[in-house]
Amino acid sequence: MPSKSHSILNNALIKQLLKDGNEITFIRSHEYKNAPPTLRQIDVSSNKELLPANAINIKAIMDSTVSNDPENVRRFMTTMSIKTLENKNVQKLLMDPEEKFDVVIAEYMYNDVLASLAAVFDCSLIWLFPMEVNSDILKRLDAVPNPGYVIDSMSTKVLPLTFKERVEELWALLKAEYMFYRYFDDMETEAYKRLIAPIIAKRGRQPPSFQDIRFNVSLVLGYSHVSMGEAVSLPQSYKNVAGYHIDEDIKPMPKDLKEIMDNAKDGVIYFSMGSNLRSKDWPEETKQKLLLMLGGLKQIVLWKIEEELPNVPKNVYISNWFPQSSILSHPNCIIFLTHGGLLSITESFHFGVPIIGIPAFADQFVNIKRVVKKGFGIKVDLTYNLVEDLKVAVEKITSNPSYRLKAKESSIIFHDRPAKPIEEMSFWMHRFRDMVKKL
């Protein structure tokens, strides 16, 4: 995935694998900087052509011209995986009969295409799953879970479900199964037969059926945790590792930013819509209303926006980049105004900061809904009434200490684990690899 947020997860994984002394071949769209000799990088940055810089536009979402339709999402992700296998650099790697690996770790995103990499090298497969637990990933490890308590990957519901919601989840599951076998099974199988089966045959083995490959996963490392999502029954081959991307060694802030935060006697509000949504795409009228509303607050506001704005109020500081972890870890940060991406949500849990969420697409809606249910967040719809609703939400959180207390409570639960997420991830990967070597 040629997305900054996905590269953050990938780079954290690579960093730990390198630290543990592994030799790694990394198929990536974003370069891993200052790579040691033990890291070989296979460039698939051409995948960015499928995800134009302005593909996910705030104004388009406000105008309701962008659809979060499950079929479109799955088709895009499947096309992305097929394009990865078609890449000439990847094909060169796959066609070399001397290439051998102990384990293939691939990112699962709505399709099984990349599972075929493990079939080429006749090794085991670990899925890296960048979402909360849902039925889509669990049915690759076990029986299809009960839709009465395990939601669909595109659902916006949280447990416990009402009877009506259970029926809706069952219907969503049936529709997803129909859609898969009607459209995507053939699409994935054709790519396997065209791009992968001939390579396996050249290596002197009978190519297995793609159906066998699809369900031949040995371990899932899921970016999830019970404190953030739901307490559902999980197979032993699914491990929760949410938070592994967060560096425990918080980098110091630039001196000027530190002074601003240290002296913010009424607190700091951090406003960021993530790496995929660009704040410069807010409608001009909305941007001016935001400046006026934020300028009327007594708190300091740090707004991540990719352009210079005129007439910025004295309490508002804008930049195209802020050190997010450093800001959220500061005791004076009192609200995180976010789009609700899972990495941002996880950092909020990690540091215990209340949230005002403005979800735009994919799993952001259910991420924010879970935070609201846990009592330390407020959801604001991405509409032309946004500014008025934001003002009400800010006043509600700053006047009610329960949001801060619930955020701290959730953070304590998030940290109450036998090991840090990156350490647990490292343990399971290497435990698994060592078991494979003994076979």
Side-chain angles (χ1 to χ4, degrees):
M1 273 290 291
S3 163
K4 179 64 176 175
S5 57
H6 288 255
S7 72
I8 290 172
L9 287 180
N10 295 336
N11 287 350
L13 169 63
I14 294 298
K15 181 180 178 181
Q16 184 63 38
L17 287 171
L18 290 171
K19 181 180 178 182
D20 293 338
N22 295 284
E23 293 184 17
I24 307 161
T25 295
F26 182 23
I27 299 174
R28 53 79 179 158
S29 55
H30 290 80
E31 182 183 5
Y32 187 95
K33 303 291 186 181
N34 303 315
T38 50
L39 176 64
R40 172 176 53 168
Q41 303 189 60
I42 308 297
D43 183 11
V44 293
S45 57
S46 59
N47 281 2
K48 294 175 184 177
E49 298 168 5
L50 293 179
L51 189 67
N54 207 26
I56 305 170
N57 185 286
I58 288 177
K59 186 177 186 303
I61 295 169
M62 294 174 74
D63 292 334
S64 300
T65 59
V66 174
S67 171
N68 206 34
D69 179 67
E71 182 176 340
N72 290 337
V73 171
R74 182 155 199 150
R75 190 177 302 281
F76 170 76
M77 297 299 179
T78 304
T79 301
M80 183 76 69
S81 293
I82 293 172
K83 183 174 176 60
T84 298
L85 292 186
E86 291 175 337
N87 186 284
K88 64 179 181 180
N89 298 324
V90 175
Q91 282 290 304
K92 182 180 178 181
L93 173 75
L94 299 180
M95 289 182 179
D96 186 346
E98 299 301 315
E99 293 286 356
K100 292 179 174 58
F101 299 95
D102 296 322
V103 177
V104 165
I105 304 172
E107 183 178 28
Y108 179 84
M109 282 296 286
Y110 298 103
N111 71 87
D112 302 289
V113 171
L114 297 183
S116 58
L117 292 170
V120 170
F121 301 113
D122 195 23
C123 66
S124 298
L125 172 68
I126 296 176
W127 280 127
L128 184 66
F129 185 57
M131 297 174 67
E132 261 293 341
V133 178
N134 58 53
S135 59
D136 199 37
I137 190 64
L138 291 184
K139 67 186 178 185
R140 268 127 186 104
L141 295 172
D142 205 347
V144 177
N146 189 324
Y149 60 84
V150 180
I151 65 171
D152 178 72
S153 59
M154 297 292 286
S155 176
T156 59
K157 301 178 181 66
V158 296
L159 301 183
L161 303 179
T162 64
F163 177 75
K164 178 174 179 287
E165 288 174 329
R166 292 182 185 188
V167 172
E168 290 171 346
E169 284 299 305
L170 174 59
W171 179 239
L173 176 64
L174 294 173
K175 283 198 301 182
E177 290 297 306
Y178 171 79
M179 182 175 66
F180 172 73
Y181 287 108
R182 176 70 175 82
Y183 301 107
F184 297 104
D185 185 33
D186 289 345
M187 187 176 177
E188 294 183 28
T189 302
E190 184 280 329
Y192 167 71
K193 290 180 177 178
R194 174 170 57 91
L195 298 167
I196 299 299
I199 296 175
I200 297 175
K202 284 183 179 180
R203 285 177 172 243
R205 305 194 314 273
Q206 176 66 32
S209 72
F210 188 64
Q211 189 71 1
D212 288 341
I213 291 172
R214 173 178 282 129
F215 293 103
N216 197 27
V217 55
S218 300
L219 179 67
V220 171
L221 299 169
Y223 201 85
S224 54
H225 189 257
V226 66
S227 64
M228 295 167 52
E230 312 293 354
V232 299
S233 177
L234 296 173
Q236 287 296 308
S237 50
Y238 184 102
K239 302 301 178 185
N240 289 301
V241 293
Y244 75 81
H245 82 283
I246 302 174
D247 194 339
E248 296 288 333
D249 181 22
I250 303 298
K251 303 294 186 294
M253 298 182 197
K255 184 178 179 181
D256 57 344
L257 179 59
K258 186 176 186 304
E259 288 180 358
I260 291 170
M261 294 205 67
D262 287 346
N263 296 323
K265 60 183 178 64
D266 293 306
V268 174
I269 297 172
Y270 175 52
F271 183 10
S272 170
M273 294 295 284
S275 56
N276 289 321
L277 291 167
R278 301 187 304 177
S279 290
K280 64 180 292 186
D281 293 331
W282 291 102
E284 287 300 321
E285 182 182 358
T286 301
K287 281 188 276 192
Q288 294 307 313
K289 285 184 176 181
L290 278 169
L291 281 178
L292 185 63
M293 185 274 289
L294 296 174
L297 301 175
K298 61 182 179 179
Q299 292 82 17
I300 295 294
V301 179
L302 305 177
W303 185 7
K304 177 184 170 294
I305 186 168
E306 304 78 12
E307 65 177 347
E308 294 294 329
L309 295 175
N311 304 318
V312 177
K314 291 182 178 181
N315 68 317
V316 178
Y317 297 84
I318 65 173
S319 175
N320 62 2
W321 178 86
F322 282 107
Q324 182 160 299
S325 291
S326 302
I327 291 171
L328 295 177
S329 66
H330 196 286
N332 284 345
C333 185
I334 61 170
I335 298 176
F336 183 15
L337 214 167
T338 173
H339 63 311
L342 192 53
L343 300 195
S344 292
I345 293 293
T346 307
E347 289 170 22
S348 178
F349 270 87
H350 183 92
F351 297 111
V353 180
I355 279 176
I356 297 176
I358 314 173
F361 62 94
D363 61 340
Q364 295 166 12
F365 295 94
V366 72
N367 294 342
I368 295 299
K369 200 167 185 179
R370 286 181 175 132
V371 168
V372 171
K373 183 188 173 187
K374 292 178 188 298
F376 70 93
I378 296 175
K379 175 178 175 287
V380 172
D381 292 327
L382 186 53
T383 68
Y384 282 93
N385 293 324
L386 169 101
V387 177
E388 293 79 3
D389 296 339
L390 273 181
K391 184 177 181 180
V392 171
V394 170
E395 291 173 350
K396 192 172 182 180
I397 287 184
T398 54
S399 63
N400 188 343
S402 69
Y403 289 95
R404 185 85 173 168
L405 290 173
K406 281 292 184 181
K408 294 302 180 185
E409 178 184 283
S410 296
S411 182
I412 290 170
I413 298 171
F414 179 80
H415 286 283
D416 188 19
R417 304 155 88 157
K420 294 176 181 177
I422 192 66
E423 294 171 352
E424 186 169 3
M425 174 181 248
S426 175
F427 171 82
W428 287 115
M429 283 191 298
H430 293 96
R431 176 78 175 272
F432 176 74
R433 183 200 61 186
D434 293 343
M435 288 172 62
V436 168
K437 285 184 174 181
K438 290 178 181 178
L439 296 177

